[in-house]
Amino acid sequence: MSQSVSAYLYAQYENIFQSLKDVVISSEQRVLADEPDPLFIGNVNFFVKSYLISVCSYLEAYLQDIAFKHSETISRKVAGAQIPHNFLHWRLNPGLKEKHLNYDNVSLCVTKKDISSEISANPYKTLKLFQLLGIDLAKKENFENNKDLINTIVTKRNNIVHHNDTAADISFGDLKSYIEVIILYMAAVKEAVDDAVA
């Protein structure tokens, strides 16, 4: 994947997160106004939970998109190398049987489904999938420094979705902070992918 593709994806999702942050700020202002909006006052928890779910959904979409684009780059390199299928499999599996012989070149395509089944917004699943793509996210400071908070956010989202957690301990201010951290976290993923491409 060229750095311009990763830059495009990062910019696209950064804009999405900034737009969500603007919505959170607007919602907070409607609650804190001299004459609060009754809809927001009566449903603060509903809005907070909805925004938190959106935060995690957007993060997961970004991770899937950047991982998929990187996997396409790897697949193109493999196809471009024109490595005979039998040679590669012979070297990786010395017990290659005749019934597994194939006289085509190696093709290792990855689908979006392959990526989505291996990744989530959970940083530990993210780390594992990117390891499979040949990228060590742990080398990026903003990934390492923020993965525990990201894990807490994702766990909270999971508790809301699966266990009807009220999320009463999360405020609009928390959501704004989460978005800022996620933007740094996404940048770290982008940098790691760019390093792998360079």
Side-chain angles (χ1 to χ4, degrees):
M1 172 173 46
S2 71
Q3 290 184 1
S4 61
V5 174
S6 63
Y8 170 78
L9 285 173
Y10 173 76
Q12 182 182 29
Y13 279 94
E14 183 184 24
N15 287 338
I16 290 169
F17 275 105
Q18 291 296 352
S19 295
L20 180 59
K21 186 176 177 186
D22 291 344
V23 170
V24 171
I25 289 168
S26 174
S27 300
E28 184 179 46
Q29 289 170 346
R30 292 174 88 162
V31 169
L32 299 176
D34 291 339
E35 291 185 32
D37 184 324
L39 174 67
F40 280 81
I41 286 291
N43 297 289
V44 167
N45 190 250
F46 170 79
F47 286 106
V48 167
K49 289 194 301 187
S50 297
Y51 299 152
L52 184 68
I53 291 168
S54 294
V55 161
C56 292
S57 297
Y58 295 159
L59 175 58
E60 188 167 320
Y62 169 74
L63 294 168
Q64 285 184 22
D65 282 351
I66 199 164
F68 178 66
K69 290 297 183 188
H70 185 66
S71 71
E72 285 184 319
T73 299
I74 295 168
S75 295
R76 278 193 302 275
K77 287 179 180 179
V78 169
Q82 299 185 333
I83 301 168
H85 173 276
N86 295 344
F87 177 80
L88 183 65
H89 286 276
W90 169 56
R91 297 316 306 145
L92 294 175
N93 178 14
L96 181 66
K97 298 189 173 155
E98 190 167 338
K99 67 180 178 179
H100 295 122
L101 294 178
N102 176 334
Y103 294 93
D104 293 328
N105 288 328
V106 172
S107 175
L108 300 174
C109 294
V110 177
T111 66
K112 280 199 170 188
K113 186 177 179 183
D114 294 329
I115 297 292
S116 67
S117 67
E118 295 288 334
I119 199 168
S120 78
N122 176 297
Y124 300 100
K125 287 187 177 181
T126 299
L127 189 63
K128 181 66 177 166
L129 174 67
F130 279 85
Q131 286 172 340
L132 297 175
L133 295 173
I135 297 171
D136 186 1
L137 294 176
K139 290 183 176 180
K140 291 298 173 184
E141 191 175 324
N142 276 331
F143 181 88
E144 277 300 296
N145 291 347
N146 294 308
K147 71 180 181 189
D148 289 338
L149 177 58
I150 300 297
N151 190 52
T152 300
I153 294 166
V154 172
T155 300
K156 181 57 109 175
R157 185 273 314 260
N158 291 344
N159 288 339
I160 290 167
V161 172
H162 301 298
H163 306 293
N164 204 24
D165 188 316
T166 62
D169 55 335
I170 298 175
S171 68
F172 289 122
D174 293 328
L175 290 171
K176 291 185 292 185
S177 297
Y178 294 167
I179 290 169
E180 289 302 316
V181 168
I182 287 170
I183 289 171
L184 292 173
Y185 181 83
M186 289 190 321
V189 172
K190 175 202 166 298
E191 289 167 14
V193 169
D194 287 347
D195 291 349
V197 172

